[in-house]
Amino acid sequence: MEISELGEFGLIDRLTAGLKPVNSSTVKGVGDDCAILRNRETDILVTTDLLLEGVHFDLTYVPLKHLGYKSAIVNFSDVYAMNGTPRQITVSLGISKRFTVEHIEELFAGIRLACEIYGVDLVGGDTTSSRQGLVISITCIGEAPADKVVSRSGAKDTDLICVSGDLGAAYMGLQLLEREKIASAGQKDFIPKFEGKEYLVERQLKPEARRDIIEELAKAGIVPTAMMDVSDGLSSELLHICKQSNVGCRVYEDRIPIDYQTAIMAEELGMNLVTAALNGGEDYELLFTVPLHYHEQIEKLPDVKLIGHITKADLGCAMITRDGTEIPLRAQGWNPLAAE
Amino acid sequence: MEISELGEFGLIDRLTAGLKPVNSSTVKGVGDDCAILRNRETDILVTTDLLLEGVHFDLTYVPLKHLGYKSAIVNFSDVYAMNGTPRQITVSLGISKRFTVEHIEELFAGIRLACEIYGVDLVGGDTTSSRQGLVISITCIGEAPADKVVSRSGAKDTDLICVSGDLGAAYMGLQLLEREKIASAGQKDFIPKFEGKEYLVERQLKPEARRDIIEELAKAGIVPTAMMDVSDGLSSELLHICKQSNVGCRVYEDRIPIDYQTAIMAEELGMNLVTAALNGGEDYELLFTVPLHYHEQIEKLPDVKLIGHITKADLGCAMITRDGTEIPLRAQGWNPLAAE
């Protein structure tokens, strides 16, 4: 069905049909000039992400439902990275003429699925036409008790540096998808070769936000001193934390968690594995620091790795390689505004 | 200066330099995974607008500073339309290669000026490259005491319908700008003919949000039963209020406030003046309903006009023309997803 048959309000009615807020802080969702929220006990967290076709996603190999899911997840991840809980999102879409109502329903199905799984209410947005590609702008509102909010600036000398999951897989997934796109050369019946690399594809196309880590930390009574999510690459994020906390760091190459599929793919592509793990973006894992005395407790947490420690600022930020060499960390992660 | 020289974080540093929050609810602004807000007494209002080059604005005649100003204002207007006060915004930008650092600084100067004048804090956003035109996505967070929030759904039979300012001027300003764009035919030294029509140009390029009306209403102790801002045209907005309040309405043609410049321009273009006032968008005036007993108080408010009254639902929505004919209201306002 052509979107023009429904018009803006008809499309919105269709996309938001049956939405039922699950959070008590959502007083009123879609349908007025503003959404109304009520949050009298805790602090409010706000984050926003803009995703543009051709820059952030390629619809040749990204299914619309996955794209919707991921668009929501990347925002939830930012709220978890403050040790908060995402509660509401607004979704703005710019839609070009090649999309039908069914396409946008697919995209929204992904967004709504992410909201359902993570307990988030879709409370508003804006829907308009776009002259060129698809535009997705999502703002997420979350909450956290004021004394539990974790920023990037609290890391202290001797703190332990921890990271959840593994790194570099989403980046390798992107390389794989791009390789198969080229191999397909537009053939309709082309079957891409993903065998044995399913994990990489999933990490790129359908990432999850680490709510489980936030819950584990809370259960263990640990409030990190600093935290952020790994969206631009470990190096870049570590440098942010160190800069904003006015500290330095040492991370150990042999401690960086890497999945075996990531390693195989790097080998196949002749890429340096550690570089991929340090600078590949979109992992949406949590990077955080905790005081030294949590050492034992952290070691017991499933899916959390200790990768290094914070130092005084004048020692700078470096990785210690397997052979003991110190290499300064540099932000070589994804920079959407860098020269090509 | 090329934006790639600065990169994403360099550009953000430059655009947000010297920002100082003015609202006590802003705990932390730009620079972390999320902004942190604290709002323990009042309800929170959230609205968002997506503006795309070629759809919402034409940089041939829209100066970037004005565009920035307007992008912020349209969001503030939505918060005032809930009887609230805007407090924070996030600004996401998609920037194509033809823009320099200076261009984006101009755009931001307009956004920051609007924030300064309206007392709003810029607390976050996202900045990325765009393959095609400029993309601006702004989310505004406001507040209002829970018992003062005004939605679209509270209008009651016999309520008075009021509107601030005048209508149709922004639409006529757009027609004028488009006419002069065609007349210029790309000549560099072309001087557009705006004499005697400065008000129309200003209404299109640099609208204001009606904070003053909200303040006047509060001073007079009046809480509207329903309210929204006129962004898509009076007809369209009246139909929203009536549908959501389950009522009908009568508005009187001779009561609709129209500036003389709007009338002259309609004459010149051979357009129906009332149609322009009913369906022209982007006025950002406030449309609201109040109980009948406020009649005298409303008449005393400067820049507010009584244009009709609410009826029972079964009477439908209509305009009474000067000669006493009833014409059903139809939403012919701007529909960004309609067929062209």
Side-chain angles (χ1 to χ4, degrees):
Chain A
M1 187 193 286
E2 295 288 320
I3 288 171
S4 56
E5 282 179 55
L6 289 176
E8 181 183 6
F9 301 118
L11 179 64
I12 291 171
D13 283 350
R14 194 148 166 156
L15 296 176
T16 60
L19 274 183
K20 281 200 191 107
V22 297
N23 291 299
S24 60
S25 56
T26 307
V27 178
K28 190 171 185 174
V30 174
D32 220 301
D33 294 286
C34 294
I36 309 173
L37 315 180
R38 189 170 297 156
N39 212 31
R40 298 284 159 79
E41 310 288 325
T42 55
D43 277 6
I44 301 149
L45 305 168
V46 182
T47 181
T48 190
D49 267 295
L50 178 62
L51 303 175
L52 303 177
E53 186 175 350
V55 177
H56 300 90
F57 55 88
D58 182 337
L59 292 175
T60 320
Y61 52 74
V62 178
L64 282 162
K65 189 171 177 182
H66 284 73
L67 177 61
Y69 191 88
K70 183 170 172 176
S71 305
I73 291 297
V74 300
N75 279 281
F76 301 167
S77 181
D78 277 320
V79 175
Y80 291 123
M82 303 289 288
N83 204 27
T85 306
R87 296 295 188 195
Q88 289 91 14
I89 54 168
T90 61
V91 177
S92 291
L93 297 180
I95 306 168
S96 61
K97 278 193 195 296
R98 72 179 202 278
F99 294 96
T100 63
V101 170
E102 290 74 17
H103 286 137
I104 304 304
E105 282 181 326
E106 269 296 293
L107 181 75
F108 246 70
I111 295 172
R112 290 181 64 159
L113 180 63
C115 285
E116 209 181 298
I117 291 173
Y118 287 84
V120 172
D121 297 323
L122 201 169
V123 298
D126 192 10
T127 310
T128 187
S129 59
S130 158
R131 283 295 170 94
Q132 273 92 9
L134 183 62
V135 176
I136 306 172
S137 178
I138 295 187
T139 297
C140 183
I141 294 133
E143 61 159 326
D147 60 346
K148 296 281 158 59
V149 172
V150 178
S151 72
R152 297 174 179 179
S153 59
K156 304 251 173 341
D157 183 21
T158 78
D159 278 359
L160 303 171
I161 301 171
C162 315
V163 72
S164 64
D166 59 79
L167 301 175
Y171 178 73
M172 282 302 163
L174 180 63
Q175 302 308 313
L176 174 61
L177 287 161
E178 287 284 344
R179 184 184 76 180
E180 294 303 299
K181 179 188 168 183
I182 292 164
S184 81
Q187 299 164 54
K188 278 202 175 160
D189 48 1
F190 179 83
I191 298 165
K193 285 183 197 145
F194 294 151
E195 221 184 282
K197 302 195 175 67
E198 294 80 1
Y199 178 68
L200 304 180
V201 175
E202 194 184 323
R203 289 286 281 179
Q204 172 57 227
L205 294 183
K206 194 168 175 289
E208 299 291 342
R210 300 308 304 255
R211 169 173 58 178
D212 57 330
I213 300 293
I214 297 304
E215 289 170 353
E216 274 174 23
L217 287 170
K219 221 181 289 169
I222 301 171
V223 179
T225 49
M227 181 154 57
M228 63 187 294
D229 69 332
V230 183
S231 53
D232 296 339
L234 179 67
S235 274
S236 170
E237 319 305 16
L238 269 172
L239 289 169
H240 278 299
I241 285 180
C242 289
K243 187 180 172 194
Q244 293 188 39
S245 299
N246 192 30
V247 293
C249 72
R250 290 295 175 276
V251 290
Y252 296 86
E253 182 182 353
D254 60 357
R255 293 287 207 145
I256 295 172
I258 296 171
D259 187 82
Y260 74 95
Q261 290 193 6
T262 309
I264 291 170
M265 189 71 206
E267 183 70 27
E268 266 187 48
L269 295 173
M271 294 176 86
N272 184 298
L273 177 59
V274 176
T275 304
L278 279 179
N279 300 314
E282 301 194 282
D283 290 314
Y284 303 106
E285 295 296 343
L286 290 173
L287 172 69
F288 57 95
T289 57
V290 296
L292 190 52
H293 66 264
Y294 284 119
H295 194 293
E296 266 185 64
Q297 273 181 275
I298 288 288
E299 297 251 294
K300 279 181 208 150
L301 291 181
D303 217 19
V304 169
K305 285 276 178 326
L306 247 166
I307 61 168
H309 57 85
I310 297 294
T311 67
K312 290 202 166 53
D314 55 11
L315 291 178
C317 299
M319 180 177 74
I320 314 289
T321 62
R322 282 168 207 275
D323 63 7
T325 317
E326 268 193 25
I327 301 177
L329 287 180
R330 282 195 299 167
Q332 292 171 310
W334 193 66
N335 185 340
L337 293 173
E340 268 167 26
Chain B
M1 186 193 287
E2 296 288 323
I3 289 171
S4 57
E5 282 179 54
L6 289 175
E8 180 182 6
F9 301 118
L11 180 64
I12 291 171
D13 283 350
R14 195 147 166 159
L15 296 176
T16 59
L19 274 183
K20 279 198 191 109
V22 296
N23 292 299
S24 60
S25 56
T26 308
V27 177
K28 188 169 188 176
V30 174
D32 219 299
D33 295 286
C34 294
I36 308 173
L37 314 180
R38 187 169 300 156
N39 211 31
R40 299 284 158 82
E41 309 289 325
T42 55
D43 277 7
I44 301 148
L45 304 168
V46 182
T47 181
T48 190
D49 267 296
L50 177 63
L51 302 175
L52 303 178
E53 187 175 350
V55 178
H56 299 90
F57 55 88
D58 182 337
L59 291 174
T60 319
Y61 53 73
V62 178
L64 282 163
K65 190 172 176 181
H66 284 73
L67 178 62
Y69 192 87
K70 183 170 173 175
S71 306
I73 291 296
V74 301
N75 279 281
F76 302 167
S77 181
D78 277 320
V79 175
Y80 291 123
M82 302 289 288
N83 204 28
T85 306
R87 296 294 188 198
Q88 289 91 15
I89 54 169
T90 61
V91 178
S92 292
L93 297 180
I95 306 169
S96 60
K97 279 193 195 294
R98 73 181 202 277
F99 295 96
T100 63
V101 171
E102 290 75 16
H103 286 138
I104 304 303
E105 282 182 324
E106 270 296 292
L107 181 76
F108 246 71
I111 295 171
R112 290 182 63 159
L113 180 63
C115 285
E116 209 179 298
I117 291 174
Y118 288 83
V120 172
D121 297 324
L122 202 169
V123 298
D126 193 11
T127 309
T128 186
S129 59
S130 157
R131 283 293 169 95
Q132 275 90 11
L134 183 62
V135 175
I136 307 172
S137 178
I138 295 188
T139 297
C140 183
I141 294 133
E143 59 158 327
D147 59 347
K148 296 281 158 56
V149 172
V150 178
S151 72
R152 298 174 178 178
S153 59
K156 302 251 172 343
D157 184 21
T158 79
D159 278 359
L160 302 170
I161 302 171
C162 314
V163 72
S164 65
D166 59 79
L167 301 175
Y171 178 73
M172 282 302 164
L174 181 62
Q175 301 308 313
L176 174 62
L177 288 161
E178 287 284 344
R179 186 185 73 179
E180 296 303 298
K181 179 188 168 183
I182 292 164
S184 81
Q187 298 164 56
K188 277 205 175 158
D189 47 2
F190 178 82
I191 298 165
K193 285 182 195 147
F194 294 151
E195 222 184 281
K197 302 196 176 66
E198 294 81 0
Y199 179 67
L200 305 180
V201 175
E202 196 185 321
R203 289 285 280 180
Q204 172 57 225
L205 293 184
K206 192 168 175 292
E208 298 292 342
R210 299 308 305 257
R211 169 174 57 178
D212 57 332
I213 300 293
I214 296 304
E215 288 170 353
E216 276 174 23
L217 286 170
K219 223 183 285 170
I222 301 171
V223 178
T225 48
M227 183 154 56
M228 64 187 293
D229 69 333
V230 182
S231 55
D232 295 340
L234 180 65
S235 274
S236 170
E237 318 306 15
L238 269 173
L239 289 169
H240 277 300
I241 286 181
C242 288
K243 186 181 171 192
Q244 293 189 36
S245 299
N246 193 28
V247 293
C249 72
R250 290 295 174 275
V251 289
Y252 296 86
E253 182 182 353
D254 60 356
R255 294 286 207 144
I256 295 171
I258 296 172
D259 187 82
Y260 74 96
Q261 289 193 9
T262 308
I264 291 170
M265 190 71 206
E267 183 70 28
E268 267 186 47
L269 296 173
M271 293 176 86
N272 183 298
L273 177 59
V274 176
T275 304
L278 280 178
N279 299 315
E282 299 194 282
D283 291 313
Y284 302 106
E285 296 295 342
L286 290 173
L287 171 70
F288 57 96
T289 58
V290 296
L292 191 53
H293 65 265
Y294 283 120
H295 194 291
E296 267 184 60
Q297 272 182 276
I298 288 289
E299 296 250 295
K300 281 182 207 149
L301 291 181
D303 217 20
V304 169
K305 286 274 178 328
L306 247 166
I307 60 168
H309 57 85
I310 296 293
T311 66
K312 291 202 165 52
D314 53 12
L315 292 177
C317 300
M319 180 176 74
I320 314 289
T321 62
R322 283 169 208 275
D323 63 6
T325 318
E326 269 193 27
I327 301 177
L329 288 179
R330 283 194 298 166
Q332 293 172 310
W334 192 67
N335 185 338
L337 293 174
E340 267 167 26

